[in-house]
Amino acid sequence: MTLTPTLVTGTLRLARLHVRTHHKSLLLWAIVMSGVVVAVARSITALYPTTQDRIAYATTASVSSGAVAFNGRWSDLTTLGGITTNEVGFMGLLLFPTVATLLAIRLTRGEEDAGRTELLTARRVGRLAPLLAAVLVVALDLVLFGFLAAAGTVAVGLPLGGSIRYAVSLVLFALAFAGLGLLAAEVSREARTATGLGIGIVLGLFLVRAVIDGADWSASWVTPSGWLPQVRAFASEGSRWWPYAAYVVTFAVMLGAAGAVTLRRDLYGGVVAARPGRARARAWCTRPVGMAWRLTRGAFLGWLLALVVWGGSLGALAKEMTEAISASPQLLELYGVDRPEDFIAAMSLALAAIGASALLLHGVGRLAGEEDSGRLGLLASGRYARWRLWGAWVVVLGLEALVVLAAQGAALGAATAWATGRSGNLDSSLEGAAVTMPAVLLVGAVALAVRAVMPPVAPAAWALVGWVAVVGFLADALDLPTWARRLSPVDAVGRVPIEDPRVGTLVAFSVAAGVLALVGAVAFARRDLRAG
């Protein structure tokens, strides 16, 4: 593929347009991602001020197979920088590639689905200009993230050279997944499909790396998620160069493939042609419950498969993990658990809670899309009352979240019981899933109520899911106070099986979720629809 001036005409103008129209979200994500890194680094410098503290941390963290599976196999854990990379681990390995992938899809296929790309390319704009403009904007946003992360970590006391190398590695890591997002956007026929494909690949690569690291196999090079710890940004003997090169090559290959597809497909088209639908809808699809299920089943099945595979894989490695943790009694004291399996179950269920909450908010977004497009208004003008439409979505989304949690808990418990030979692990995993359910339902009820009462601010409910993730995986690293941890509904009900469930909180959350669902139904029935 040879670039000519005609193919790239208008690239800079489109890039400026992206910055003008998306500058708030671009700036927000750069601040959020760099804020995670800087906040962890600041907390680490306070928690491990002496060499003895850092040696003790390295001794315990390096033998915890469960923590290694989640965070990655980082090195140089006797340094503040090395501890920071390890504690950022889980959030960084999932958050950064996910954000980069979604930004790339939003600025390419998202713009095309909205009709803006067709409008802009009606003038003198090259075929590759929309793709290259998205690349420029995403790259600049990631560079801003890297600059803020490097400046912040230096400001809190980490070495200058190591901070710069770590920031560069994070930028290139995210950029490689931005290339994945570009390719997914070109291959798919709509942004929703591209988003599911991109996130599925990110989760799949993370799972493969987690299994490899948890089992202590020497194959971290298999996935891009495994390359990042190999950088060794804070190593005294210097950083390794090959992960940087691998990320650059990966991005170049993805971008080249995306460009090739762009030149060969029609606008609004994709690699795979759409299958013709049925001439007549099935009877159940014409009812509110059927419609809600039809619109959300793709995300539901994707999350169900991902979390069941995750729980089963982690449970299958439980024997090796428990042996490693049991060999170091100080680890049990550090994590506050009596059995190593309890720590593994708590971490896995925390991820399940995040996934189920994200599934609920995705469903709320689909409901919002139906309203904003006018299709929901069309249904409400017929024989279906608004409260019935609302109730159908509440029931379908709630059941999907409960099924995902139950299935993940069952897969984790069954695999752990098989690996360890102790059937009690199945009971504890199922109990943990059951305790988590009211907290997850409360998150969904909050999102639904906000959508019903104040539709423009409904996306803010994602902040609650983000806080659940921060508390679940960074609470100790950030040294969060108890009141801050309790702002996460999942932490508030008790992290079973590490903690006993808080029965009063469980009852209160269940009642609150029901009340918010009713409030949402009343508000939805009374207010004007946004379209239709």
Side-chain angles (χ1 to χ4, degrees), residues 99-247:
V99 170
T101 301
L102 294 181
L103 284 177
I105 293 172
R106 179 179 180 183
L107 295 179
T108 51
R109 181 61 67 167
E111 294 293 298
E112 190 170 329
D113 286 356
R116 288 185 286 270
T117 300
E118 181 179 17
L119 179 64
L120 293 171
T121 54
R123 301 192 64 186
R124 294 188 58 188
V125 174
R127 289 289 302 276
L128 290 178
L131 177 67
L132 296 180
V135 171
L136 285 176
V137 173
V138 173
L140 288 174
D141 193 47
L142 293 178
V143 169
L144 176 61
F145 150 58
F147 172 78
L148 294 176
T153 50
V154 170
V156 300
L158 297 191
L160 175 62
S163 297
I164 293 176
R165 289 191 294 268
Y166 182 48
V168 171
S169 68
L170 291 180
V171 170
L172 294 179
F173 171 57
L175 189 62
F177 281 91
L180 167 66
L182 295 172
L183 182 57
E186 296 300 325
V187 169
S188 306
R189 292 183 58 87
E190 56 183 12
R192 183 179 63 180
T193 305
T195 298
L197 177 62
I199 293 180
I201 295 175
V202 170
L203 292 176
L205 292 175
F206 178 86
L207 174 60
V208 171
R209 181 216 52 82
V211 171
I212 291 173
D213 287 342
D216 197 19
W217 297 334
S218 300
S220 297
W221 51 268
V222 169
T223 72
S225 299
W227 303 342
L228 189 60
Q230 301 300 319
V231 171
R232 303 192 65 178
F234 293 93
S236 57
E237 67 273 15
S239 180
R240 294 174 177 172
W241 65 267
W242 70 262
Y244 299 99
Y247 286 132

Side-chain angles (χ1 to χ4, degrees), residues 22 186 210 214 253 264 271 291 297 333 375 378 493 499:
H22 299 289
E186 296 300 325
V253 170
R264 288 166 173 79
V271 172
M291 183 190 71
R297 68 181 181 183
E333 181 180 356
R375 290 187 292 268
L378 181 62
V493 298
E499 302 174 346

Side-chain angles (χ1 to χ4, degrees), residues 292-386:
W293 162 249
R294 177 65 181 82
L295 293 174
T296 60
R297 68 181 181 183
F300 164 70
L301 294 175
W303 275 110
L304 179 66
L305 177 63
L307 291 177
V308 166
V309 171
W310 167 257
S313 301
L314 201 62
L317 297 173
K319 183 177 181 180
E320 291 80 1
M321 293 182 182
T322 54
E323 289 175 352
I325 296 176
S326 299
S328 181
Q330 62 267 34
L331 276 176
L332 298 178
E333 181 180 356
L334 174 65
Y335 296 132
V337 298
D338 297 324
R339 301 187 311 154
E341 301 97 314
D342 293 345
F343 167 74
I344 298 170
M347 296 295 286
S348 182
L349 289 170
L351 182 59
I354 297 170
S357 300
L359 173 63
L360 279 170
L361 266 66
H362 173 271
V364 175
R366 291 292 291 158
L367 174 61
E370 291 301 298
E371 180 183 351
D372 293 345
S373 67
R375 290 187 292 268
L376 196 65
L378 181 62
L379 288 173
S381 65
R383 58 177 176 168
Y384 297 118
R386 287 198 193 184

Side-chain angles (χ1 to χ4, degrees), residues 16-39:
R16 289 196 296 268
L17 181 61
H18 284 324
V19 173
R20 289 181 59 186
T21 55
H22 299 289
H23 66 278
K24 292 182 180 179
S25 61
L26 293 170
L27 182 60
L28 175 63
W29 279 121
I31 293 174
V32 168
M33 293 191 295
S34 60
V36 169
V37 177
V38 176

Side-chain angles (χ1 to χ4, degrees), residues 339 409-417 422-432:
R339 301 187 311 154
L412 172 67
T416 304
R422 290 190 286 271
S423 59
N425 290 318
L426 177 59
D427 296 334
S428 63
S429 295
L430 290 176
E431 180 187 3

